[in-house]
Amino acid sequence: MLRDYLSQEIENKFRAERKWFGNNSWEATYGAAYEYVKYNNRTDESRFDPATGGLLPIAYATDFKAHKYGVFATASRRLLEERLSVAAGFRMDGSTLGEGLKNPLKQFSPSSIGVLCVRSGVDMECQRRAVFSIAGIYHLGLRAVR
């Protein structure tokens, strides 16, 4: 078998993010992301064909391009003398990989989480953390996982 193979995978990424610190231990992060991905492959191959005793030529080429885009936001607040932190947020992603993925509203993924810090001792450092998810829906492709 003889093979001549050339492939490229190119990704250009942009992400803009802003963090806001408010009163009463409120914080928020929000932003947007964009990616341009390109993949191309050229394969020329010759395989031995036992039926003819000669070489069978095989040629394959692809040029794949896609755009990925999304927005996200998270708001959080520390409570109970900063022992409890609660957060809620969302992501919306879209891409040109398939017709069902183009609309970011169809890939809406809300989530929420809480972190409880148990403190002991004079230094009041967090000794243990209990993390719990209050709710969340995560999209993997076209299927939602709850």
Side-chain angles (χ1 to χ4, degrees), residues 34-119:
Y34 171 78
E35 285 184 52
Y36 173 72
V37 295
K38 180 180 178 182
Y39 173 78
N40 56 48
N41 175 322
R42 191 194 84 232
T43 303
D44 293 308
E45 190 172 288
S46 296
R47 292 185 185 170
F48 178 72
D49 185 358
T52 63
L55 293 177
L56 179 65
I58 297 171
Y60 173 78
T62 184
D63 189 20
F64 173 78
K65 297 173 186 155
H67 302 273
K68 300 179 192 179
Y69 39 88
V71 295
F72 57 91
T74 302
S76 65
R77 184 168 185 203
R78 293 181 306 280
L79 305 163
L80 303 175
E81 297 176 355
E82 297 194 5
R83 288 189 177 135
L84 176 66
S85 178
V86 292
F90 72 90
R91 283 194 64 86
M92 288 191 298
D93 295 296
S95 78
T96 59
L97 291 171
E99 196 60 39
L101 300 174
K102 287 184 180 178
N103 185 351
L105 294 174
K106 292 184 179 180
Q107 275 61 249
F108 179 73
S109 299
S111 65
S112 57
I113 192 167
V115 178
L116 179 62
C117 180
V118 179
R119 293 186 174 149

Side-chain angles (χ1 to χ4, degrees), residues 13-25:
K13 299 180 181 188
F14 173 78
R15 181 178 170 111
E17 184 175 300
R18 175 89 188 217
K19 191 152 189 156
W20 171 81
F21 298 94
N23 297 331
N24 298 323
S25 300

